[in-house]
Amino acid sequence: MDAAADNRRRFARLDLALSVSYRLLDGGTIIHDPREALSSDISVGGLRLMTPTELPTGSAVELLVTLEGSADKPVVATGEVVWQHRLNATSYETGVIITEMPDADRSRFMQFVFDQMSKIVTPLGSSGTIK
């Protein structure tokens, strides 16, 4: 199994649309202005983005993820493009793993993901059956 496939199975994922700004990096240097994307699923290890541009596999990207319902500044991360599929002439589905994230942002991001997951888990009733 390749690393990308292994990563897809390591973390639970949420189908959640978040606003994400991204910039392509080259050796830590930003090589284009921010572009906007939407996530189509997220986990603590990465996200799938709907991007308007092609991004080569292995590319480094800076990510600014706006957490839904949060008045705080966006979560900042660095990621790596691990796969991409062209959907049409102006849209790409892009898999990005998170490679770096400041500790404070990682805590906020993980808390957000876990909070969202807890909203979709159906509680067990007192009899042990699912309500």
Side-chain angles (χ1 to χ4, degrees):
M1 178 182 306
D2 66 22
D6 184 44
N7 185 56
R8 282 193 299 267
R9 292 167 183 83
R10 188 176 307 152
F11 301 106
R13 296 192 174 273
L14 289 170
D15 187 10
L16 191 60
L18 298 176
S19 177
V20 180
S21 278
Y22 68 94
R23 298 190 288 194
L24 199 56
L25 303 173
D26 184 12
T29 302
I30 297 168
I31 60 174
H32 70 61
D33 292 333
R35 299 210 170 111
E36 297 300 315
L38 281 177
S39 68
S40 61
D41 85 41
I42 64 170
S43 77
V44 295
L47 29 118
R48 179 173 44 181
L49 299 175
M50 303 318 246
T51 61
T53 58
E54 183 176 4
L55 299 170
T57 300
S59 297
V61 289
E62 177 189 67
L63 304 168
L64 298 174
V65 182
T66 301
L67 301 180
E68 180 179 275
S70 174
D72 294 331
K73 63 182 180 175
V75 167
V76 178
T78 302
E80 179 184 341
V81 176
V82 292
W83 57 267
Q84 189 169 62
H85 303 288
R86 184 181 188 141
L87 298 175
N88 56 46
T90 60
S91 185
Y92 296 82
E93 186 177 48
T94 307
V96 178
I97 60 168
I98 295 172
T99 56
E100 293 180 39
M101 185 182 288
D103 289 341
D105 283 346
R106 182 174 303 281
S107 293
R108 287 179 46 226
F109 188 67
M110 289 176 67
Q111 186 63 52
F112 176 80
V113 170
F114 293 139
D115 287 349
Q116 295 303 308
M117 285 181 178
S118 71
K119 291 177 183 178
I120 60 171
V121 174
T122 304
L124 291 177
S126 58
S127 65
T129 59
I130 296 176
K131 290 185 173 184

